[in-house]
Amino acid sequence: MTASGTPASTGPASVPHLDVDPFDMAFFADPYPTHQRLREAGPVVYLDRWNVYGVARYAEVHAVLNDPATFCSSRGVGLSDFKKETPWRPPSLILEADPPAHTRTRAVLSKVLSPTVMKQVRDRFAAAAEERVDALLDQRSFDAITDLAEAYPLSIFPDALGLKPEGREHLIPYASVVFNAFGPPNELRQQAIARSSPHQAYVAEQCQRDNLAPGGFGACIHAQADAGAITATEAPLLVRSLLSAGLDTTVNGIGAAVYCLARFPEQWQRLRDDLTLARNAFEEAVRFESPVQTFFRTTTREVELSGATIGEGEKVLMFLAAANRDPRRWDQPDSYDITRRTSGHVGFGSGIHMCVGQLVARLEGEVMLTALARRIARIEITGEPKRRFNNTLRGLDSLPVTITPA
Ligand code: 4IA
């Protein structure tokens, strides 16, 4: 059954049907009441608007993520089923793949983004964070999204990849297309894809071996082709994964952390009193805001999930953000608490597909929050935060702040 062809009145009788659209502007503006409705309606629900199953409780989101043989990724992790529709771009060799194909590409990116590699880039990432904070202290009043959450990753990640300076303005718009494209065929997705050609052309070109500086993440991926781990044809597509997933995610993760710390001054004070909390303050922001809000899987067979029977070839929408605030799993889920035991949150996913770049994200978050907390006494929000609307990513377009030096 396709989203376009099925009357809303049909579908599975055994699960609650909801008429909510988790991809419309009203939902994005305030998803929390709907997240609660989704969790309370039952362990598995059916969303008539898009003809998909949904899971919003922690237990079911975790279960789906950890059964990749039944809930596969190779038919796409957006609404579109690659078995029925042509993908908007060639599928990712890691995100949109299942074992055994996934196992091989995953091993390559794991090696390229390993703890050893993090040790090599750490001092550079930390120095750049200090430099960014220097500039912000000169400004005093600035936009925490453009001047901090975007400016910092842009000052390190493209260089770490080995990209040339020209054309980097395509990176965030390209990622924005990627994340909108996981959603349903609404205005956001259709407009994003319609305008994607220049961004796609830029990205395809930068993935080529000759365009990636020696020593960078990109060159390391191509070196894995020499070692026989992947083919020379696969290497550019794996570089594309870093360009797709490596920048806008950390922009929204750092943006989330700053937005949390600006709204909850007592947490900011705790961080200032103990800078070793920086890494967990970032992790808690990923749980609390869940920059990546949702993802789909597709069933490979009929399956029973918490009493609901789901047929083969059905899309299942996982509400990562709702699972990360499920009161069945978390104490005071709606509090931002930098000393919380955050492990087990699904903001980076879970299981075999869990974020392969998580060490890069955590490194950026940790060194930036450390640099901020060391030198800034107060962060005040001085204007209306403006939301950025995307089918998958949650974050702000603008967050006007004024800082007071320590
Ligand atoms: C890829 C889930 C998100 C962070 C993501 C987006 C794109 C890709 C991977 C992950 O293109 O491989």
Side-chain angles (χ1 to χ4, degrees):
M1 274 187 260
T2 62
S4 53
T6 311
S9 57
T10 65
S14 67
V15 303
H17 285 232
L18 277 78
D19 65 357
V20 305
D21 182 357
F23 299 99
D24 78 10
M25 299 301 148
F27 175 82
F28 295 146
D30 184 13
Y32 301 109
T34 307
H35 284 161
Q36 188 178 350
R37 260 187 79 196
L38 288 161
R39 284 189 304 256
E40 294 305 316
V44 179
V45 301
Y46 195 80
L47 303 179
D48 290 317
R49 176 69 181 89
W50 300 111
N51 286 314
V52 296
Y53 288 84
V55 287
R57 295 183 187 175
Y58 182 86
E60 282 72 27
V61 169
H62 190 268
V64 169
L65 285 169
N66 285 281
D67 184 359
T70 306
F71 301 97
C72 80
S73 293
S74 57
R75 289 169 73 167
V77 300
L79 176 65
S80 173
D81 183 351
F82 292 178
K83 203 166 161 177
K84 300 172 183 167
E85 289 180 290
T86 307
W88 71 279
R89 61 171 191 169
S92 163
L93 298 181
I94 180 164
L95 179 74
E96 293 153 338
D98 296 320
H102 167 266
T103 314
R104 199 165 45 83
T105 51
R106 169 88 190 187
V108 166
L109 290 191
S110 285
K111 193 178 279 187
V112 171
L113 305 173
S114 69
T116 311
V117 175
M118 295 309 105
K119 262 192 179 160
Q120 293 160 7
V121 300
R122 186 181 177 99
D123 288 351
R124 257 183 288 148
F125 280 28
E130 295 291 345
E131 269 180 54
R132 182 90 302 264
V133 175
D134 283 338
L136 297 176
L137 281 165
D138 287 341
Q139 287 181 262
R140 292 291 181 95
S141 292
F142 56 87
D143 191 316
I145 302 305
T146 26
D147 302 332
L148 198 175
E150 292 186 347
Y152 174 59
L154 279 170
S155 76
I156 49 164
F157 189 71
D159 287 336
L161 251 152
L163 297 179
K164 66 171 193 225
E166 297 77 29
R168 292 179 178 190
E169 67 278 3
H170 288 287
L171 289 168
I172 289 177
Y174 179 75
S176 166
V177 180
V178 169
F179 286 94
N180 272 321
F182 294 128
N186 57 13
E187 179 89 358
L188 275 175
R189 183 179 198 267
Q190 304 312 71
Q191 290 280 356
I193 293 174
R195 297 169 188 177
S196 67
S197 297
H199 312 314
Q200 287 203 68
Y202 163 79
V203 163
E205 180 63 19
Q206 305 324 305
C207 291
Q208 298 305 310
R209 189 166 203 166
D210 287 351
N211 290 323
L212 293 160
F217 300 152
C220 289
I221 292 172
H222 283 280
Q224 291 291 309
D226 301 337
I230 46 171
T231 68
T233 335
E234 290 173 318
L237 264 187
L238 285 175
V239 176
R240 194 194 70 177
S241 284
L242 300 198
L243 291 172
S244 301
L247 189 68
D248 214 5
T249 47
T250 60
V251 165
N252 285 289
I254 293 167
V258 173
Y259 190 32
C260 286
L261 291 162
R263 277 176 296 172
F264 309 115
E266 76 292 346
Q267 298 299 312
W268 176 249
Q269 192 52 49
R270 288 172 94 176
L271 175 58
R272 293 199 59 223
D273 292 343
D274 180 1
L275 295 178
T276 68
L277 291 171
R279 203 167 167 94
N280 204 57
F282 178 73
E283 201 72 24
E284 170 69 346
V286 174
R287 180 199 70 84
F288 188 82
E289 287 291 334
S290 299
V292 175
Q293 290 267 297
T294 50
F295 259 105
F296 294 84
R297 293 292 190 254
T298 313
T299 54
T300 58
R301 60 173 175 90
E302 184 178 282
V303 56
E304 187 175 318
L305 178 62
S306 303
T309 303
I310 306 177
E312 184 276 334
E314 298 285 349
K315 284 281 175 179
V316 179
L317 177 55
M318 302 177 290
F319 289 88
L320 306 180
N324 277 341
R325 290 178 178 225
D326 183 354
R328 294 160 191 79
R329 170 63 180 76
W330 306 96
D331 292 332
Q332 298 194 290
D334 298 322
S335 297
Y336 175 72
D337 173 2
I338 69 169
T339 63
R340 180 192 296 278
R341 286 171 51 169
T342 54
S343 69
H345 80 76
V346 291
F348 288 118
S350 177
I352 66 166
H353 286 280
M354 189 176 177
C355 182
V356 76
Q358 58 185 279
L359 298 181
V360 185
R362 292 196 183 110
L363 176 59
E364 291 182 27
E366 182 198 340
V367 299
M368 177 47 82
L369 295 189
T370 303
L372 290 168
R374 193 181 279 141
R375 299 171 55 203
I376 295 169
R378 286 214 318 273
I379 307 178
E380 275 175 284
I381 299 175
T382 52
E384 195 61 38
K386 267 184 59 192
R387 187 147 297 283
R388 185 174 286 177
F389 295 101
N390 183 283
N391 279 332
T392 305
L393 291 173
R394 177 172 179 80
L396 298 176
D397 231 357
S398 158
L399 178 63
V401 297
T402 298
I403 56 174
T404 311

